[in-house]
Amino acid sequence: SHLREALGPQAQEREEALRAVRQDAEHGARREAILTLADTCDRLRRGLVLADAQIQTLAERGQLWWARWNGMASAVQALEAMREGYALALARTEELLAQWGASLLECCPGDSLFDPRSMRAADVTVRPDLPDGTVLEVLRPGYEWEGEVLRPCEVRVSRQTAVIVTNPTTEETA
């Protein structure tokens, strides 16, 4: 009885420590799974854009009807089915991200200014007509999870003047 009373607090502390380790492991595993799903979304979006571009190219050249009529209907159908498959897989993967509490970071090209908390400037374009740091394009969307930036948006931003590096320790503006 005395032994049980003496070990009681230690046993409780051990259980709490194990519970904390388990929660940290689950949190880390969920974080990695979300990052993997986000990467899968990126790849599906690229596939969808490529399929759309190929369909659009055929349509602009006036070859879509010709391809369907000239015995290439199966190739066009395959391209359209591939596009639909990308769209369905992307929608399902986005649903999973939402179910796990991850969401896309808002970033509107042309309307947003660079935010170092939620964005990473992957490219800079000289645009004297725009304020420095105007987001021109989202190259890779970012995600937030549990109120924190999980993965920043990769963006192309504007700069009013070109930077010429003449010496690694100094910069000049053109």
Side-chain angles (χ1 to χ4, degrees), residues 120 122-125 134-139 154-158:
R120 185 179 78 75
D123 192 25
V124 177
T125 300
T134 300
V135 175
L136 301 173
E137 182 181 0
V138 176
L139 303 173
E154 290 183 13
V155 296
R156 176 176 290 122
V157 296
S158 68

Side-chain angles (χ1 to χ4, degrees), residues 27-100:
H27 186 268
R30 184 164 291 217
R31 183 181 192 282
E32 287 305 312
I34 289 171
L35 286 170
T36 300
L37 287 173
D39 183 59
T40 301
C41 282
D42 294 341
R43 293 165 191 251
L44 290 168
R45 278 188 202 95
R46 283 193 297 272
L48 188 57
V49 166
L50 181 61
D52 281 341
Q54 291 300 315
I55 292 169
Q56 184 64 31
T57 298
L58 286 173
E60 285 174 0
R61 291 182 182 168
Q63 294 175 343
L64 196 56
W65 69 269
W66 179 85
R68 289 178 199 254
W69 178 75
N70 200 28
M72 293 179 59
S74 63
V76 173
Q77 287 173 341
L79 185 59
E80 290 170 339
M82 183 176 71
R83 189 234 173 265
E84 185 176 341
Y86 279 122
L88 290 170
L90 177 61
R92 179 62 184 129
T93 307
E94 287 174 337
E95 279 178 27
L96 285 172
L97 284 168
Q99 285 174 359
W100 285 10

